[in-house]
């Protein structure tokens, strides 16, 4: 039995912050799969491919070599030999990733890469289809969510702290659009796996969510004898 944790949930629910903390506590390798889709999005964008052009995307996919490295424990995403980690966290990269990640050719490639990472080492992986498609046998599956207004409020604070000008209504609209896109695609849509535990973080702080997950993990290990 593996020791892997799968965390799925909508944009802005706090998956990566929480997963990083849990990874440190449990000595698991954290894999941010959204970053891998973001790198693919950048690749298509640089080629000037329209995200609605599925044939062009499917054809170009083979030319993208995405790999993951760790520097001082932090995930680095390498796209065709270039470290693109610093370019991934913009709203634009997130939108592009969401649009390009609907296609079978992109998803097949990313899922294979993610499964091969998990075959080498125990991981905590976050994304949209981790519990349902990538790691269906994970020891613990979490579906981490929060209300749209709370996710928008957090994103607004994050951006203003970074000194970026932004409009709260536009942020909320962007989150709704991303939910719509990620939940309604035919392949690997965001949904809660049947055996995932729902954690609604609307009224919980980071420490509280981490504690909940650590407790669930302990319980799962005891029950499964790992
Ligand atoms: O988690 P994130 O916001 O960095 O992800 C960016 C986009 O990538 C997300 O809107 C949809 C896509 N994605 C996906 O389709 N499957 C995953 N496992 C992770 C991300």
């Amino acid at each position: 039995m593996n020791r892997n944790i799968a965390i799925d949930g909508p944009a802005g629910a706090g998956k990566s912050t929480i997963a990083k903390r849990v990874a440190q506590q449990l000595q698991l390798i954290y894999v941010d799969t959204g970053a891998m889709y973001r790198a693919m999005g950048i690749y298509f964008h640089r080629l000037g491919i329209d995200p609605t052009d599925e044939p062009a995307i499917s054809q170009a996919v083979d030319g993208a070599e995405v790999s993951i490295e760790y520097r001082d424990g932090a995930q680095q995403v390498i796209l065709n030999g270039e470290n693109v980690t610093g370019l991934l966290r913009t709203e634009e990269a997130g939108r592009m990733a969401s649009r390009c990640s609907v296609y079978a050719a992109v998803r097949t490639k990313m899922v294979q890469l993610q499964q091969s990472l998990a075959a080498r080492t125990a991981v905590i992986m976050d994304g949209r289809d981790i519990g349902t498609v990538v790691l269906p046998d994970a020891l613990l599956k979490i579906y981490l969510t929060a209300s749209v207004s709370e996710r928008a409020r957090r994103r607004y604070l994050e951006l203003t702290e970074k000194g970026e000008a932004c409009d709260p209504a536009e942020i909320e609209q962007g989150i709704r659009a991303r939910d719509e896109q990620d939940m309604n695609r035919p392949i690997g849509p965001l949904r809660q796996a049947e055996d995932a535990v729902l954690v609604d973080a609307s009224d919980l702080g980071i420490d509280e969510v981490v504690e909940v997950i650590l407790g669930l993990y302990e319980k799962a290990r005891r029950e499964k004898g790992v």
Side-chain angles (χ1 to χ4, degrees), residues 94-138:
R95 256 199 310 275
M96 191 68 189
S98 181
R99 297 183 74 187
C100 299
S101 63
V102 302
Y103 302 120
V106 176
R107 301 210 70 81
T108 305
K109 187 177 178 108
M110 292 294 101
V111 168
Q112 272 170 4
L113 182 56
Q114 291 151 13
Q115 288 177 332
S116 70
L117 287 169
R120 288 204 291 272
T121 176
V123 296
I124 177 165
M125 202 177 264
D126 79 1
R128 304 294 186 285
D129 59 341
I130 310 305
T132 51
V133 177
V134 181
L135 303 176
D137 299 326

XYZ file of all heavy atoms in Angstrom, residues 94-138:
332
model
N -2.545 30.910 -15.492
C -3.593 30.044 -14.947
C -4.745 29.880 -15.928
O -5.254 28.770 -16.151
N -5.128 30.976 -16.547
C -6.227 30.929 -17.535
C -5.838 30.079 -18.728
O -6.608 29.256 -19.224
C -6.542 32.353 -18.013
C -7.805 32.939 -17.419
C -8.333 34.108 -18.219
N -7.316 35.107 -18.518
C -6.964 36.093 -17.695
N -7.527 36.199 -16.515
N -6.052 36.972 -18.034
N -4.629 30.293 -19.188
C -4.121 29.553 -20.361
C -4.062 28.041 -20.032
O -4.467 27.200 -20.844
C -2.712 30.088 -20.674
C -2.143 29.636 -21.969
S -3.035 30.347 -23.360
C -2.283 29.409 -24.690
N -3.595 27.725 -18.825
C -3.501 26.318 -18.412
C -4.882 25.686 -18.401
O -5.075 24.565 -18.879
C -2.874 26.227 -17.019
N -5.842 26.409 -17.855
C -7.192 25.871 -17.753
C -7.767 25.601 -19.150
O -8.412 24.581 -19.391
C -8.070 26.867 -16.982
O -9.368 26.372 -16.839
N -7.487 26.497 -20.081
C -8.036 26.330 -21.438
C -7.365 25.191 -22.191
O -8.017 24.436 -22.914
C -7.903 27.649 -22.219
C -8.709 28.767 -21.592
C -8.633 30.020 -22.388
N -9.426 29.952 -23.607
C -9.416 30.882 -24.548
N -8.644 31.941 -24.419
N -10.166 30.760 -25.612
N -6.045 25.039 -22.021
C -5.325 24.000 -22.777
C -5.480 22.618 -22.153
O -5.226 21.610 -22.813
C -3.832 24.309 -22.836
S -3.498 25.846 -23.652
N -5.881 22.598 -20.870
C -5.904 21.310 -20.174
C -7.176 20.515 -20.453
O -7.365 19.454 -19.876
C -5.728 21.516 -18.676
O -6.809 22.262 -18.163
N -8.021 21.016 -21.316
C -9.243 20.258 -21.639
C -8.957 19.135 -22.644
O -9.768 18.228 -22.785
C -10.377 21.170 -22.207
C -10.724 22.251 -21.222
C -9.989 21.770 -23.545
N -7.828 19.198 -23.329
C -7.612 18.273 -24.452
C -6.961 16.950 -24.042
O -6.041 16.921 -23.214
C -6.748 18.951 -25.523
C -7.380 20.219 -26.024
C -6.729 21.438 -25.898
C -8.662 20.210 -26.582
C -7.323 22.614 -26.330
C -9.267 21.385 -27.016
C -8.592 22.577 -26.885
O -9.189 23.733 -27.299
N -7.419 15.863 -24.679
C -6.940 14.522 -24.357
C -5.422 14.416 -24.493
O -4.758 13.834 -23.633
C -7.625 13.497 -25.269
N -4.866 14.997 -25.554
C -3.423 14.831 -25.798
C -2.614 15.448 -24.659
O -1.598 14.885 -24.231
C -3.044 15.493 -27.129
N -3.081 16.584 -24.167
C -2.372 17.266 -23.075
C -2.527 16.468 -21.785
O -1.559 16.198 -21.065
C -2.925 18.707 -22.889
C -2.277 19.390 -21.694
C -2.712 19.524 -24.161
N -3.745 16.040 -21.506
C -4.001 15.327 -20.243
C -3.257 13.992 -20.200
O -2.696 13.619 -19.185
C -5.499 15.105 -20.015
C -6.310 16.385 -19.956
C -7.535 16.269 -19.078
N -7.177 16.179 -17.679
C -6.874 17.236 -16.915
N -6.901 18.454 -17.395
N -6.524 17.060 -15.656
N -3.257 13.263 -21.309
C -2.577 11.961 -21.329
C -1.107 12.131 -20.976
O -0.552 11.402 -20.158
C -2.714 11.315 -22.725
O -4.101 11.258 -23.032
C -2.123 9.930 -22.778
N -0.497 13.127 -21.585
C 0.936 13.355 -21.343
C 1.197 13.724 -19.877
O 2.108 13.193 -19.239
C 1.418 14.481 -22.263
C 2.902 14.706 -22.227
C 3.292 15.775 -23.220
C 4.773 16.049 -23.155
N 5.503 15.540 -24.295
N 0.394 14.617 -19.345
C 0.606 15.075 -17.973
C 0.327 13.957 -16.961
O 1.060 13.781 -15.997
C -0.294 16.280 -17.660
C 0.063 17.533 -18.423
S 1.689 18.195 -17.970
C 2.677 17.632 -19.303
N -0.744 13.190 -17.191
C -1.090 12.112 -16.248
C 0.038 11.076 -16.210
O 0.441 10.620 -15.138
C -2.453 11.469 -16.628
C -2.682 10.180 -15.843
C -3.594 12.450 -16.380
N 0.593 10.735 -17.375
C 1.699 9.764 -17.416
C 2.899 10.254 -16.601
O 3.483 9.531 -15.817
C 2.160 9.540 -18.852
C 1.354 8.443 -19.532
C 1.632 8.394 -21.024
O 2.476 9.120 -21.540
N 0.912 7.530 -21.707
N 3.214 11.523 -16.803
C 4.358 12.107 -16.101
C 4.115 12.101 -14.584
O 4.995 11.740 -13.793
C 4.557 13.539 -16.625
C 5.717 14.341 -16.094
C 7.021 13.607 -16.300
C 5.762 15.703 -16.807
N 2.905 12.458 -14.196
C 2.579 12.512 -12.765
C 2.604 11.104 -12.147
O 3.099 10.910 -11.043
C 1.206 13.178 -12.581
C 1.246 14.662 -12.919
C -0.077 15.219 -13.432
O -1.115 14.574 -13.327
N -0.032 16.420 -13.983
N 2.090 10.134 -12.881
C 2.097 8.766 -12.339
C 3.517 8.234 -12.231
O 3.842 7.519 -11.294
C 1.236 7.846 -13.222
C -0.244 8.155 -13.044
C -1.158 7.338 -13.940
O -0.752 6.925 -15.031
N -2.390 7.138 -13.514
N 4.387 8.618 -13.171
C 5.759 8.106 -13.091
C 6.490 8.766 -11.912
O 7.317 8.134 -11.258
C 6.510 8.262 -14.408
O 6.770 9.603 -14.645
N 6.152 10.011 -11.589
C 6.754 10.649 -10.405
C 6.331 9.907 -9.135
O 7.143 9.624 -8.258
C 6.292 12.115 -10.285
C 6.869 13.111 -11.277
C 6.124 14.439 -11.196
C 8.342 13.328 -10.978
N 5.044 9.576 -9.051
C 4.517 8.920 -7.843
C 5.009 7.472 -7.727
O 5.004 6.908 -6.643
C 2.995 8.958 -7.848
N 5.431 6.891 -8.844
C 5.929 5.510 -8.795
C 7.322 5.474 -8.165
O 7.757 4.446 -7.674
C 5.974 4.931 -10.208
N 8.012 6.622 -8.182
C 9.390 6.663 -7.678
C 9.478 6.985 -6.193
O 10.395 6.594 -5.517
C 10.193 7.723 -8.453
C 10.519 7.324 -9.867
C 11.746 8.068 -10.358
N 11.533 9.496 -10.543
C 11.081 10.042 -11.658
N 10.800 9.282 -12.689
N 10.929 11.343 -11.760
N 8.490 7.757 -5.688
C 8.605 8.242 -4.312
C 7.212 8.551 -3.752
O 6.272 8.743 -4.530
C 9.497 9.526 -4.308
O 9.529 10.028 -2.988
C 8.974 10.611 -5.210
N 7.093 8.584 -2.424
C 5.783 8.899 -1.826
C 5.507 10.394 -1.995
O 6.372 11.226 -1.719
C 5.791 8.530 -0.351
N 4.307 10.718 -2.461
C 4.003 12.112 -2.818
C 2.714 12.613 -2.173
O 1.829 11.827 -1.834
C 3.820 12.280 -4.354
C 5.107 11.985 -5.101
C 2.679 11.419 -4.890
N 2.648 13.930 -2.064
C 1.359 14.594 -1.871
C 1.190 15.439 -3.127
O 2.042 16.253 -3.467
C 1.282 15.421 -0.574
C -0.064 16.150 -0.492
C 2.435 16.397 -0.404
C -0.379 16.706 0.897
N 0.138 15.143 -3.868
C -0.025 15.763 -5.185
C -1.328 16.542 -5.189
O -2.333 16.032 -4.698
C -0.079 14.624 -6.208
C 0.260 15.007 -7.602
S 0.235 13.551 -8.715
C 1.927 13.072 -8.780
N -1.295 17.779 -5.701
C -2.561 18.505 -5.776
C -2.908 18.855 -7.214
O -2.034 18.925 -8.082
C -2.579 19.734 -4.846
C -1.831 20.939 -5.397
O -1.297 20.860 -6.505
O -1.796 21.965 -4.696
N -4.223 18.983 -7.473
C -4.680 19.281 -8.828
C -6.183 19.224 -8.921
O -6.905 19.701 -8.028
N -6.676 18.645 -10.001
C -8.123 18.558 -10.234
C -8.595 17.101 -10.374
O -9.716 16.769 -10.054
C -8.500 19.299 -11.531
C -8.077 20.759 -11.604
C -8.811 21.591 -10.573
N -8.529 23.030 -10.712
C -7.403 23.634 -10.344
N -6.428 22.937 -9.812
N -7.260 24.946 -10.498
N -7.688 16.246 -10.920
C -8.070 14.858 -11.235
C -7.162 13.868 -10.532
O -6.967 12.759 -10.999
C -7.949 14.647 -12.760
C -6.529 14.909 -13.259
O -5.748 15.579 -12.548
O -6.181 14.442 -14.356
N -6.574 14.263 -9.418
C -5.563 13.406 -8.782
C -6.231 12.184 -8.138
O -5.834 11.047 -8.377
C -4.705 14.197 -7.764
C -4.175 15.493 -8.404
C -3.564 13.326 -7.245
C -3.395 15.307 -9.679
N -7.258 12.423 -7.331
C -7.933 11.302 -6.678
C -8.744 10.454 -7.642
O -8.943 9.251 -7.424
N -9.212 11.056 -8.728
C -10.082 10.327 -9.661
C -9.302 9.603 -10.765
O -9.686 8.516 -11.184
C -11.086 11.291 -10.338
O -10.344 12.403 -10.864
C -12.136 11.791 -9.352
N -8.211 10.199 -11.240
C -7.520 9.642 -12.414
C -6.042 9.312 -12.142
O -5.588 8.212 -12.459
C -7.586 10.638 -13.613
C -6.815 10.114 -14.815
C -9.025 10.955 -13.983
N -5.302 10.255 -11.571
C -3.843 10.095 -11.487
C -3.452 9.090 -10.410
O -2.654 8.185 -10.663
C -3.150 11.459 -11.231
C -1.633 11.298 -11.176
C -3.527 12.467 -12.323
N -4.013 9.244 -9.211
C -3.656 8.346 -8.094
C -4.924 7.734 -7.494
O -5.271 8.013 -6.340
C -2.900 9.124 -7.003
C -1.617 9.850 -7.409
C -1.053 10.645 -6.234
C -0.572 8.854 -7.923
N -5.609 6.890 -8.260
C -6.871 6.346 -7.737
C -6.675 5.484 -6.487
O -7.614 5.289 -5.733
C -7.418 5.508 -8.909
C -6.271 5.289 -9.828
C -5.312 6.408 -9.624
N -5.426 5.009 -6.242
C -5.171 4.178 -5.059
C -4.502 4.939 -3.921
O -3.934 4.324 -3.019
C -4.254 2.996 -5.429
C -4.908 2.119 -6.480
O -6.147 1.994 -6.428
O -4.186 1.587 -7.340
N -4.545 6.262 -3.968
C -3.879 7.044 -2.907
C -4.400 6.625 -1.538
O -5.583 6.300 -1.382
C -4.132 8.536 -3.135
